[in-house]
């Protein structure tokens, strides 16, 4: 019997431990991936702490997966896949194909969206079995340790910007320069936006300029963020990557007329925004989910073309617990990635 290792938690909020599982055979429409790298996302905390319904233990999180197809279930080859293909799997881990959103082609909003680590074991493991509609092909130019984070952090920021109302030359602000925001700044610059990075502290100014940002707003400097944005002409789009409702709220009055606030930083705290702030200037607030497997492919292709990469710290699977804690503490610079080989 052949086995593989996983990093799992056995109780709600428990510590990570290594365990061995029997290598599974993929069923119809599924493939087994030999995982090479898996990013650690802040959303993994929802699974480890049973913060979402339907979480069962032992729990193997991980939805920033990159590796190679090792075995194919019935019908997978008919969908264009073969053993050895390099693939990534993100928050979009498969769809039902029959709910209203799926029938409209909006698969990321599937009522039965299968998220790795929630619907099935995730990528904190040497092997993972996933449905074929979750697969995104990795371009040769991307290392697996780069491709994994692109499947969630990358696609969320890239898609949030390309589906926004901003057009090349518009002023676009990225709130937060952490695991999501440092990619968002790079994408905004590559898309031709006049890019503003918003973060805390003067020491971030040099860093965001190295990422390509044209302007930096220090939210601790005394001038309200909205005033700083209006002094630059007003933002057509603010991409809010920081999971902080107060910081998100502070950007709204910095939007231009018919400007758009795109929220991707998850937090349960409500936004303190009044209708008056929205109506007169025709402003829009929109939540943005991640992206489908095709969106992940688009993200990786764009990243390869423009030389955009996540900044990562790689650690072996054995150190999953330490890496997870580092992510929770906000100490990662900027994405923790587990490697299997």
């Amino acid at each position: 019997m052949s086995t593989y290792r996983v990093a799992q938690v056995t109780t709600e909020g428990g510590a990570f431990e290594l365990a061995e599982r029997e290598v599974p055979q993929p069923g119809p429409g599924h493939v087994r991936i030999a995982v090479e790298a898996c990013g650690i996302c802040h959303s993994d905390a929802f699974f480890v702490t049973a913060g979402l319904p339907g979480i069962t233990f032992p729990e193997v999180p991980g939805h920033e997966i990159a590796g190679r197809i090792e075995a194919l279930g019935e019908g997978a080859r008919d969908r264009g896949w073969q053993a050895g293909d390099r693939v990534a799997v993100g928050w979009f881990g498969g769809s039902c194909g029959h709910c209203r959103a799926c029938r409209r082609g909006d698969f990321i909003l599937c009522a039965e969206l299968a998220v790795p680590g929630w619907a099935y074991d995730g990528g904190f493991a040497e092997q993972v079995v996933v449905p074929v509609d979750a697969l995104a092909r990795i371009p040769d130019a991307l290392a697996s340790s780069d491709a994994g984070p692109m499947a969630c952090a990358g696609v969320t920021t890239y898609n949030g910007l390309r589906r926004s109302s901003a057009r090349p030359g518009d002023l676009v602000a990225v709130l937060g320069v952490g695991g999501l925001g440092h990619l968002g700044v790079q994408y905004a610059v590559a898309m031709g936006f006049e890019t503003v990075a918003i973060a805390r502290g003067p020491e971030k100014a040099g860093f965001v300029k190295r990422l390509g940002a044209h302007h930096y707003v220090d939210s601790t400097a005394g001038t309200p963020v909205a005033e700083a944005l209006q002094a630059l002409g007003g933002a057509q789009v603010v991409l809010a990557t920081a999971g902080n409702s107060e910081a998100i709220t502070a950007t709204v009055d910095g939007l231009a007329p018919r400007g758009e606030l795109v929220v991707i930083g998850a937090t349960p705290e409500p936004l303190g925004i009044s209708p008056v702030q929205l109506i007169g200037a025709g402003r829009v607030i929109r939540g943005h989910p991640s992206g489908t497997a095709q969106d992940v492919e688009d993200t990786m292709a764009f990243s390869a073309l423009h030389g955009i990469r996540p900044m990562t710290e790689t650690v072996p699977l054995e150190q999953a617990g330490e890496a997870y804690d580092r992510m929770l503490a906000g100490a990662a610079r900027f994405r923790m990635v587990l490697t299997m080989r």
Side-chain angles (χ1 to χ4, degrees):
M1 178 185 72
S2 58
T3 62
Y4 69 103
R5 299 180 305 160
V6 304
Q8 63 180 23
V9 292
T10 57
T11 60
E12 180 180 325
F16 278 89
E17 60 182 45
L18 288 180
E20 290 200 355
R21 306 269 183 90
E22 184 176 354
V23 173
Q25 294 304 311
H30 287 66
V31 301
R32 187 177 73 237
I33 298 171
V35 179
E36 295 175 348
C38 184
I40 301 178
C41 178
H42 201 277
S43 298
D44 288 321
F46 290 129
F47 309 141
V48 172
T49 63
L52 293 170
I55 300 293
T56 58
F57 294 90
E59 159 67 22
V60 180
H63 57 270
E64 293 187 344
I65 304 165
R68 294 181 184 272
I69 295 177
E70 192 169 73
L72 297 91
E74 181 183 353
R77 187 168 280 104
D78 297 337
R79 301 278 292 274
W81 300 102
Q82 58 186 355
D85 285 347
R86 299 182 67 221
V87 293
V89 181
W91 181 265
F92 179 84
S95 57
C96 72
H98 57 74
C99 71
R100 180 176 296 180
C102 285
R103 292 181 68 183
R104 289 175 170 167
D106 203 358
F107 299 105
I108 191 61
L109 298 183
C110 174
E112 300 176 26
L113 184 67
V115 179
W118 189 2
Y120 51 82
D121 282 348
F124 287 21
E126 294 173 330
Q127 307 272 342
V128 64
V129 173
V130 306
V132 292
D133 65 329
L135 300 175
R137 201 175 298 276
I138 300 174
D140 292 340
L142 289 186
S144 292
S145 58
D146 293 330
M150 293 289 182
C152 181
V155 69
T156 303
T157 51
Y158 173 77
N159 238 13
L161 288 170
R162 74 164 173 171
R163 298 184 185 281
S164 76
S165 59
R167 295 296 177 263
D170 285 345
L171 189 77
V172 169
V174 178
L175 172 65
V177 291
L180 292 168
H182 87 287
L183 287 168
V185 170
Q186 294 179 78
Y187 288 133
V189 172
M191 290 177 183
F193 304 139
E194 183 180 353
T195 303
V196 185
I198 307 170
R200 295 175 57 84
E203 69 280 359
K204 305 281 179 59
F207 171 66
V208 300
K209 291 296 179 65
R210 290 194 296 274
L211 293 178
H214 303 97
H215 311 280
Y216 177 59
V217 172
D218 175 6
S219 63
T220 68
T223 301
V225 168
E227 286 187 22
L229 291 176
Q230 289 297 346
L232 293 170
Q236 179 60 36
V237 167
V238 171
L239 181 72
T241 74
N244 182 308
S245 292
E246 184 178 353
I248 295 171
T249 298
T251 69
V252 173
D253 286 335
L255 290 169
R258 300 203 182 279
E260 182 180 26
L261 172 62
V262 180
V263 181
I264 62 176
T267 174
E269 299 301 322
L271 298 175
I273 298 168
S274 73
V276 172
Q277 291 176 277
L278 306 178
I279 294 170
R283 293 167 176 149
V284 174
I285 301 173
R286 179 169 62 85
H288 173 72
S290 179
T292 65
Q294 183 59 57
D295 293 326
V296 174
E297 281 198 16
D298 293 347
T299 301
M300 292 190 291
F302 186 87
S303 301
L305 181 65
H306 290 277
I308 296 171
R309 301 292 186 275
M311 296 181 180
T312 62
E313 296 182 42
T314 58
V315 297
L317 180 65
E318 294 86 346
Q319 296 178 24
E322 294 94 320
Y324 174 80
D325 289 343
R326 185 166 171 78
M327 176 277 298
L328 276 185
R333 293 292 180 267
F334 284 93
R335 213 66 176 173
M336 301 303 300
V337 178
L338 302 177
T339 57
M340 313 304 157
R341 291 175 174 78

